[in-house]
Amino acid sequence: MVKLIMGRHNRIIRYISVVLIICLIVAAFTGCGEKTSSGNAYVSIKTSLLPSQTIASNSEYELNWDEDARAVIYKSVTDKSYWSDVLYEKFLEGGESANGNSPISITVANTKTLKWDTVTSYEQLESNATMACKKIENGIRVTYFFEKYRIAVPVEYTIRNDSLLVSINGGTIFEDGIDYKLVSVSLTPNFCSLKNDTKNGYLFVPSGCGALMKTAETSTGVRNYSSEVYGDDGARQVPTDFVDDEAVRLPVFGAYGDGKALLGIVEEGAGSAVVVAQAGNERLGYSNVGIKFYVRGYDRFFFTYHGKPQGTTSRINDDIVNTKMSVGYYPLSGNDADYSGMAEKYRQYLQNNNKLKECDVDESAYSVTMLGGTGVTKSILGVPKKEIKALTTFNEANEIIKELSNQSDYEPVVRLMGYGDSGIRQGKIAGGSSFLSLYGKKDDLTSLLENNKKTFVDFDIVSFSKSGNGFSLSSDVAKTAIKYKAEHFAITPTRIMDEDNPYYIIARGMLSKAAEKALKKANKYAVNSVSLSTLGTIAFSDYSNQEYINKNGIESDVKKIIENMRKSKKKVAVSGANSYAVESADVVFDTVSSCGDYSELDVEIPFYQMVFHSYKTLYGESVNIKENMDLAIAKSLAYGMGVSFTITSRYISDSDDLSEYSIYGTVFDDNKTLFSEKIFNSNFEQVYSKISNLKLLDYNILSNGVSLSTFENGVLLYSNLTDTTKDTPVGKLKAYSFKLG
């Protein structure tokens, strides 16, 4: 009887399973003209294309489909200019380039050799692969089949009032996964492209503060740029890269030429995105910039044979991101058709989507970061013992702030950093539940906070090296793509790896709990202004949970934490932060002011500052530990930022942290004259007061290298960022000097 019931039960389950599979197939291919397949399993079909026609339109633009080119064209109704997912003009001239005629390309991993290959959709069509398309609401869905690799990718193009949305959904990608697995999709790489000979043509890439790549061909050949949005995944294992680069902090890119411009905004799935650009491609005759979406995470390793290094190999995660990834394309014309217009459009996008909030901090022309403690290793009877020594106590910080305030028109905005249980280095989450007694008593901190209301206390809630304060290194660490612990080591120019001091990235599911610990500690010590430096800077995945792969959802997690802090009446600062953190915070310390050391980039621009200036209080990187302090100060003003200093009360010669942190240049007594000469007794504060609350509308570099920053109300600032005296419309400017126009 039991066997009979069980057999009948199994038949019912099989019947229900078949019905569910059929439903999934129908749902996945609904309206696309494809034959059905088993869930997301791959199946071959016959090509099913629409005839050439206008798919959708509004008063400004129309969306066209060209059957012969197998291309989508987004055209202006008024001036007939257009953008296309292939190099359409080249196609009309008979061009047969695989790259130029491909709306998408994919990267696949061979499941046996682990080797990665990149394949264009045009190559597959030439090999008799198929396509299928179907009208959808206000647009078209085109499915690109990669027959050899048994992968199919549906792409949707949807027209909106002011833009075109192009998207893929990981949950609707088809593959059999036996011989090849999909790693990434380059989505419409030709949509944002220009001819190389376009007059004054350039590509905009958001490297660091922002940069331009001129489209003109040069003797060096094609120039390639690629960088991950929000920086490298904090939960990825990769070999060390010593390139002095800057992360992409904004999910945007663009192109300008012949009086028109196009801005791309990664509206969904930015954590999976990589900005990819190539300028001056002589063979293709075009330059382009676009987005590649990783649909699977990966780890990368060195491998050796008989002890000799052979190169690197990559291993991918089993799961595909099952969320939507999309890019919005916004055409710009007239006076808005340049990178300044792109910055204005992106700011409007943030405002229209209720993402950009006004800050709530009394500004100052300068900020000071006080470093709390540093580690020192002592030897006791030959046994090493680590201890923390104070670089700056609470009382010493209080006295330094008083002395600076007495000389200045402003009280500084202050950040107390490195006051955790391990000093500058990572320790327990939030630096432990209390402050070490070596920094002073609770009353000392209270006095400091009461005397300066603009003092932010920093809490690290992302990285930690010790169990405690409610978190364990064995169970509360994020996992990499192949389920390793997300572990990092100190990397310095003189020491490649410090294996005695690893730190770990917290599990994504524990991030909100870590924020609660920081908030509890802040309330315990009456801290009303909280700094969350690592939270705003480190975007990371956690492959122990499908919900968090490829940095998925990091934007909403971080914004929720910051907004909860603000609901608890806390002001919030972040550091060198990604856009999603800046949008909700009040103050940004260490605001990026460089595009990075890339030879491929031609012109540095303060795009980041143009987006956020006047909405947020921005402070640049510390000038007193820069190689050229005068240049750093002048650039801070030119980019509309306050100036920053990093200060300690004393120098500790046996610090373990000297190879990683420039604390030898931070002693206050050694910096007093710099404050006086460069800030208090110069015109820095006066100029800052004129521009601090005005939008930075435009930034140009004149023919002699002098920069011109244009703010609201016609306020002009000329800054000489060169090392020689220059003539300007406001008279001669000495090296690294500035003057309002």
Side-chain angles (χ1 to χ4, degrees):
M1 184 66 177
V2 173
K3 289 183 179 179
L4 179 62
I5 293 173
M6 290 300 293
R8 182 180 180 186
H9 180 68
N10 289 338
R11 285 194 299 274
I12 292 172
I13 290 176
R14 285 196 296 271
Y15 174 77
I16 293 173
S17 299
V18 170
V19 173
L20 287 174
I21 289 172
I22 293 172
C23 291
L24 286 171
I25 294 168
V26 173
F29 275 124
T30 296
C32 292
E34 297 94 336
K35 293 183 179 179
T36 58
S37 83
S38 215
N40 278 9
Y42 183 83
V43 63
S44 298
I45 68 157
K46 292 183 178 180
T47 293
S48 175
L49 297 179
L50 292 172
S52 298
Q53 59 184 281
T54 296
I55 297 294
S57 64
N58 55 39
S59 60
E60 299 291 334
Y61 298 96
E62 62 184 30
L63 185 65
N64 297 325
W65 166 256
D66 186 315
E67 181 182 13
D68 293 331
R70 300 186 178 185
V72 172
I73 300 102
Y74 184 53
K75 181 188 291 186
S76 167
V77 172
T78 54
D79 65 11
K80 306 304 179 184
S81 63
Y82 63 84
W83 307 86
S84 174
D85 59 358
V86 302
L87 298 180
Y88 192 59
E89 185 174 346
K90 194 175 182 69
F91 165 78
L92 295 176
E93 295 170 351
E96 297 182 353
S97 163
N99 290 324
N101 287 311
S102 292
I104 71 169
S105 64
I106 64 172
T107 300
V108 297
N110 188 303
T111 57
K112 299 178 178 61
T113 66
L114 306 183
K115 182 183 177 182
W116 291 13
D117 290 309
T118 298
V119 191
T120 67
S121 56
Y122 185 77
E123 287 178 87
Q124 293 299 289
L125 291 176
E126 290 292 285
S127 302
N128 297 317
T130 55
M131 290 176 63
C133 59
K134 174 68 179 179
K135 280 187 178 182
I136 58 176
E137 184 177 2
N138 295 320
I140 185 173
R141 180 191 300 119
V142 183
T143 302
Y144 302 92
F145 287 79
F146 296 81
E147 184 70 29
K148 174 182 176 180
Y149 306 94
R150 301 190 64 76
I151 292 169
V153 182
V155 180
E156 294 189 351
Y157 303 79
T158 307
I159 193 171
R160 303 183 295 190
N161 287 337
D162 63 344
S163 57
L164 177 71
L165 187 70
V166 183
S167 60
I168 59 174
N169 191 320
T172 64
I173 290 172
F174 294 81
E175 66 170 13
D176 69 9
I178 297 173
D179 295 318
Y180 296 94
K181 287 188 176 182
L182 183 62
V183 179
S184 67
V185 178
S186 292
L187 191 61
T188 57
N190 294 305
F191 208 93
C192 201
S193 61
L194 297 168
K195 282 186 174 181
N196 292 343
D197 60 3
T198 301
K199 184 178 180 180
N200 298 323
Y202 59 74
L203 308 176
F204 157 64
V205 294
S207 179
C209 60
L212 307 179
M213 301 173 69
K214 296 178 182 178
T215 61
E217 295 172 10
T218 67
S219 59
T220 58
V222 62
R223 288 158 286 130
N224 293 296
Y225 170 86
S226 176
S227 190
E228 192 169 343
V229 175
Y230 304 149
D232 291 338
D233 191 339
R236 180 184 301 135
Q237 181 165 320
V238 292
T240 301
D241 185 355
F242 290 99
V243 175
D244 184 18
D245 57 10
E246 287 286 355
V248 167
R249 294 166 171 83
L250 307 177
V252 294
F253 58 95
Y256 163 82
D258 279 345
K260 69 172 185 174
L262 187 68
L263 171 68
I265 302 176
V266 185
E267 299 187 11
E268 297 170 283
S272 300
V274 178
V275 177
V276 180
Q278 60 171 358
N281 187 332
E282 183 177 356
R283 182 175 180 182
L284 193 61
Y286 282 77
S287 302
N288 53 49
V289 59
I291 289 296
K292 174 170 66 177
F293 285 109
Y294 276 91
V295 299
R296 279 186 166 93
Y298 66 92
D299 286 335
R300 186 165 289 152
F301 308 87
F302 280 123
F303 68 92
T304 61
Y305 183 72
H306 292 305
K308 296 182 179 180
Q310 302 295 310
T312 61
T313 186
S314 299
R315 291 180 59 187
I316 59 174
N317 185 253
D318 290 332
D319 297 322
I320 283 184
V321 174
N322 59 11
T323 55
K324 192 174 181 180
M325 292 157 277
S326 63
V327 179
Y329 288 102
Y330 295 79
L332 303 170
S333 58
N335 293 332
D336 295 328
D338 57 12
Y339 60 81
S340 301
M342 295 179 198
E344 175 64 24
K345 174 61 75 172
Y346 181 52
R347 184 167 56 244
Q348 290 175 2
Y349 166 82
L350 296 177
Q351 292 171 323
N352 293 341
N353 288 276
N354 197 31
K355 293 186 176 185
L356 186 57
K357 296 177 174 61
E358 295 271 2
C359 68
D360 186 26
V361 171
D362 292 333
E363 292 201 40
S364 172
Y366 66 106
S367 74
V368 178
T369 294
M370 304 285 187
L371 297 183
T374 184
V376 174
T377 302
K378 301 288 187 181
S379 179
I380 301 177
L381 299 177
V383 178
K385 181 181 179 181
K386 294 183 181 292
E387 63 179 56
I388 304 299
K389 286 187 177 182
L391 290 164
T392 317
T393 67
F394 295 137
N395 281 335
E396 289 166 342
N398 201 2
E399 292 303 314
I400 291 171
I401 294 168
K402 287 180 182 178
E403 186 171 343
L404 292 173
S405 299
N406 289 335
Q407 299 180 61
S408 171
D409 295 335
Y410 296 91
E411 287 185 352
V413 173
V414 176
R415 175 175 54 169
L416 302 183
M417 200 167 188
Y419 281 82
D421 60 322
S422 293
I424 300 173
R425 287 181 182 264
Q426 295 83 357
K428 298 175 184 176
I429 284 291
S433 59
S434 60
F435 291 102
L436 300 180
S437 60
L438 63 93
Y439 302 127
K441 299 177 181 178
K442 182 178 180 180
D443 289 345
D444 299 329
L445 177 57
T446 300
S447 175
L448 167 59
L449 298 176
E450 287 179 349
N451 289 334
N452 192 319
K453 303 296 184 183
K454 296 182 286 189
T455 298
F456 291 80
V457 180
D458 192 71
F459 299 98
D460 188 345
I461 63 173
V462 173
S463 56
F464 64 127
S465 63
K466 301 178 183 177
S467 295
N469 201 17
F471 298 86
S472 169
L473 289 177
S474 61
S475 59
D476 297 325
V477 176
K479 296 297 191 296
T480 72
I482 60 171
K483 306 301 174 67
Y484 283 11
K485 282 186 177 182
E487 181 182 58
H488 295 269
F489 294 90
I491 306 297
T492 73
T494 57
R495 188 174 67 239
I496 294 178
M497 184 175 290
D498 184 353
E499 296 190 4
D500 294 329
N501 293 285
Y503 65 92
Y504 301 85
I505 303 299
I506 193 170
R508 281 282 297 278
M510 301 297 288
L511 195 53
S512 59
K513 179 184 173 183
E516 290 169 5
K517 291 288 185 180
L519 183 58
K520 183 177 180 180
K521 184 175 178 180
N523 289 334
K524 176 181 176 181
Y525 288 92
V527 174
N528 293 319
S529 299
V530 173
S531 170
L532 301 170
S533 294
T534 52
L535 181 71
T537 303
I538 302 175
F540 63 101
S541 308
D542 185 352
Y543 291 89
S544 63
N545 189 324
Q546 168 77 13
E547 184 179 349
Y548 301 129
I549 68 177
N550 276 22
K551 298 181 283 189
N552 189 37
I554 191 67
E555 302 97 331
S556 58
D557 285 355
V558 170
K559 293 181 77 168
K560 182 179 179 181
I561 288 170
I562 293 176
E563 288 168 4
N564 283 342
M565 290 280 185
R566 296 189 68 170
K567 287 177 183 177
S568 299
K569 309 300 181 184
K570 309 295 182 189
K571 293 180 173 62
V572 180
V574 289
S575 174
N578 294 320
S579 58
Y580 55 81
V582 181
E583 291 160 15
S584 300
D586 295 293
V587 173
V588 184
F589 291 105
D590 305 318
T591 306
V592 61
S593 56
S594 168
C595 65
D597 189 21
Y598 294 99
S599 60
E600 298 85 358
L601 306 181
D602 297 306
V603 182
E604 178 181 284
I605 59 171
F607 190 94
Y608 187 101
Q609 287 79 358
M610 293 168 73
V611 172
F612 294 118
H613 189 265
S614 82
Y615 287 88
K616 305 295 176 180
T617 301
L618 306 178
Y619 293 103
E621 297 156 318
S622 295
V623 298
N624 61 312
I625 54 178
K626 287 283 189 179
E627 183 177 345
N628 189 332
M629 183 178 65
D630 291 328
L631 172 60
I633 292 173
K635 183 185 276 192
S636 290
L637 267 190
Y639 288 9
M641 303 185 296
V643 73
S644 294
F645 288 82
T646 296
I647 294 297
T648 59
S649 181
R650 66 184 58 80
Y651 173 70
I652 296 176
S653 60
D654 54 350
S655 165
D656 294 338
D657 302 314
L658 290 176
S659 60
E660 297 169 56
Y661 302 93
S662 303
I663 59 177
Y664 47 81
T666 63
V667 178
F668 179 61
D669 286 342
D670 298 336
N671 283 276
K672 284 183 180 180
T673 56
L674 298 179
F675 278 100
S676 298
E677 294 175 2
K678 305 298 183 182
I679 308 301
F680 306 145
N681 296 327
S682 71
N683 64 336
F684 184 94
E685 291 181 306
Q686 290 73 28
V687 172
Y688 181 82
S689 67
K690 300 289 186 182
I691 66 173
S692 61
N693 293 314
L694 303 176
K695 289 182 183 177
L696 176 55
L697 300 179
D698 199 5
Y699 178 87
N700 287 290
I701 300 175
L702 306 182
S703 58
N704 62 355
V706 172
S707 71
L708 171 59
S709 305
T710 303
F711 296 87
E712 282 182 303
N713 303 329
V715 176
L716 305 178
L717 175 63
Y718 292 88
S719 304
N720 183 3
L721 305 183
T722 75
D723 58 2
T724 59
T725 299
K726 300 291 185 180
D727 290 318
T728 75
V730 291
K732 290 186 180 294
L733 280 183
K734 294 181 179 179
Y736 313 124
S737 63
F738 40 83
K739 188 175 182 180
L740 287 170

